[in-house]
């Protein structure tokens, strides 16, 4: 597989074309941003953790019937994936109140939600990724009703699989963000990453935050925490 030109550089990853138009190479960086790019930094070896962890989780999801872009890990930082056009939507599922949900609705962080809650944000940094509802998505032509139904069903399935997976590792899945894309054949698959950058994970015993909130909120032990999460995820007990 030949790596060709860079086709996209995001905040945490670069994407390269390959000699196969149906395949891309994703390369994970150590760059960290928060608050819509206002806070910037580096988390040593974050790219390695996020690459390896995403691949483990995508393989698990694939086995469990959720189609994903994952093809093959190429190195510590690089993974071969199916080429997709990403829907400009952040699909967020919450099990416990935290972050922007707590702020927006005045609910204390850590409050269990009576049901898992799905929300969409429009992926548009210039607008601050505004919350968007299903009617807005349809009205703006971002996805069709059928596509949205599929995305929502997959997102809830991902939540059920990941809640159980992380619990086995002593981690509570508080919330997470995923992204979906469409292949050139029109098939909807899970894309992007699933990592401590995109999930809130709290230790089951201590409620210690084991995710990007350590960077966002200057809680310390950022690198160590990313390594600890990877070690738990890799531990096949
Ligand atoms: N999230 C993300 N990228 C974003 C916004 C949110 O990965 O651009 C994740 C975040 O890590 C958390 C979940 O989505 O696990 C919900 O985030 P929230 O809306 O509470 O936003 P935040 O408090 O991170 O601004």
């Amino acid at each position: 597989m030949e790596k060709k030109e860079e086709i996209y550089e995001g905040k945490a990853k670069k994407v390269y074309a390959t000699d196969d138009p149906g395949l891309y190479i994703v390369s994970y960086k150590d760059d960290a941003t928060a608050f819509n790019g206002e806070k910037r930094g580096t988390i040593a070896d974050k790219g390695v953790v996020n690459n390896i962890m995403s691949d483990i989780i995508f393989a698990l999801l694939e086995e469990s019937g959720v189609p994903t872009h994952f093809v093959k890990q190429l190195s510590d930082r690089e993974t071969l994936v199916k080429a997709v056009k990403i829907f400009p939507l952040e699909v967020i599922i919450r099990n416990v109140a935290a972050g922007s949900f707590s702020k927006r609705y005045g609910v204390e962080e850590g409050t269990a939600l009576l049901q898992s809650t799905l929300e969409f944000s429009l992926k548009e940094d210039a607008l601050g990724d505004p919350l968007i509802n299903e009617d807005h998505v349809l009205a703006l032509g971002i996805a069709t009703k059928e596509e949205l139904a599929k995305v929502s069903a997959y997102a809830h399935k991902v939540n059920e699989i990941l809640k159980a997976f992380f619990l086995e590792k002593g981690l509570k899945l508080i919330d997470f963000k995923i992204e979906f894309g469409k292949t050139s054949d029109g098939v909807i698959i899970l894309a992007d990453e699933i990592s401590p950058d995109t999930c809130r994970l709290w230790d089951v015993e201590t409620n210690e935050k084991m995710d990007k909130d350590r960077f966002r909120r200057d809680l310390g032990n950022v690198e160590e925490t990313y390594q600890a999460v990877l070690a738990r995820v890799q531990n096949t007990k």
Side-chain angles (χ1 to χ4, degrees):
M1 182 58 49
E2 200 192 330
K3 187 164 155 186
K4 301 200 108 165
E5 77 279 6
E6 182 184 313
I7 52 175
Y8 170 83
E9 175 161 12
K11 285 174 280 192
K13 298 186 284 295
K14 291 183 183 184
V15 180
Y16 296 89
T18 70
D19 46 12
D20 181 337
L23 297 173
Y24 289 160
I25 292 171
V26 180
S27 180
Y28 285 75
K29 306 189 286 184
D30 288 348
D31 299 349
T33 61
F35 312 119
N36 204 16
E38 252 173 61
K39 183 181 169 88
R40 286 165 189 278
T42 303
I43 301 172
D45 285 338
K46 172 171 84 75
V48 175
V49 170
N50 290 5
N51 181 46
I52 297 174
M53 176 164 163
S54 290
D55 287 353
I56 292 170
I57 290 175
F58 277 57
L60 167 74
L61 292 172
E62 195 78 53
E63 262 172 43
S64 317
V66 178
T68 78
H69 72 168
F70 176 65
V71 177
K72 182 176 152 216
Q73 192 168 102
L74 299 176
S75 70
D76 272 4
R77 285 180 186 272
E78 293 196 330
T79 292
L80 188 65
V81 300
K82 291 181 188 157
V84 292
K85 201 159 178 276
I86 298 276
F87 290 99
L89 290 175
E90 303 201 326
V91 182
I92 293 170
I93 296 246
R94 301 176 186 276
N95 298 306
V96 174
S100 68
F101 183 96
S102 287
K103 215 169 183 180
R104 192 181 323 125
Y105 302 119
V107 184
E108 198 186 338
E109 267 207 340
T111 307
L113 301 177
L114 300 179
Q115 60 165 60
S116 61
T117 300
L118 180 144
E119 68 190 41
F120 299 108
S121 289
L122 179 65
K123 230 172 98 88
E124 182 54 69
D125 278 344
L127 301 174
D129 297 342
L131 199 61
I132 184 169
N133 73 21
E134 194 171 322
D135 271 355
H136 298 155
V137 173
L138 299 178
L140 294 172
I142 292 169
T144 66
K145 210 175 170 76
E146 293 69 34
E147 288 170 341
L148 261 192
K150 199 163 242 182
V151 161
S152 302
Y154 282 149
H156 281 293
K157 187 162 181 185
V158 168
N159 185 42
E160 292 312 311
I161 296 164
L162 290 191
K163 264 195 304 186
F165 173 77
F166 283 123
L167 203 54
E168 273 180 39
K169 315 292 182 187
L171 293 166
K172 263 190 281 191
L173 180 60
I174 305 301
D175 57 30
F176 62 95
K177 183 268 301 180
I178 48 180
E179 296 180 20
F180 291 86
K182 210 154 69 161
T183 65
S184 60
D185 309 332
V187 180
I188 293 178
I189 61 179
L190 183 67
D192 195 48
E193 66 178 281
I194 296 182
S195 71
D197 273 9
T198 64
C199 301
R200 282 195 172 92
L201 298 165
W202 294 2
D203 182 84
V204 171
E205 304 289 328
T206 65
N207 275 338
E208 191 187 352
K209 293 178 172 49
M210 300 192 67
D211 54 59
K212 195 174 163 188
D213 275 343
R214 301 206 74 82
F215 168 79
R216 292 190 190 98
R217 304 179 187 186
D218 297 317
L219 300 176
N221 291 329
V222 183
E223 277 92 1
E224 294 82 349
T225 301
Y226 274 72
Q227 295 296 334
V229 171
L230 178 62
R232 289 200 198 189
V233 164
Q234 284 178 313
N235 164 23
T236 46
K237 55 174 181 182

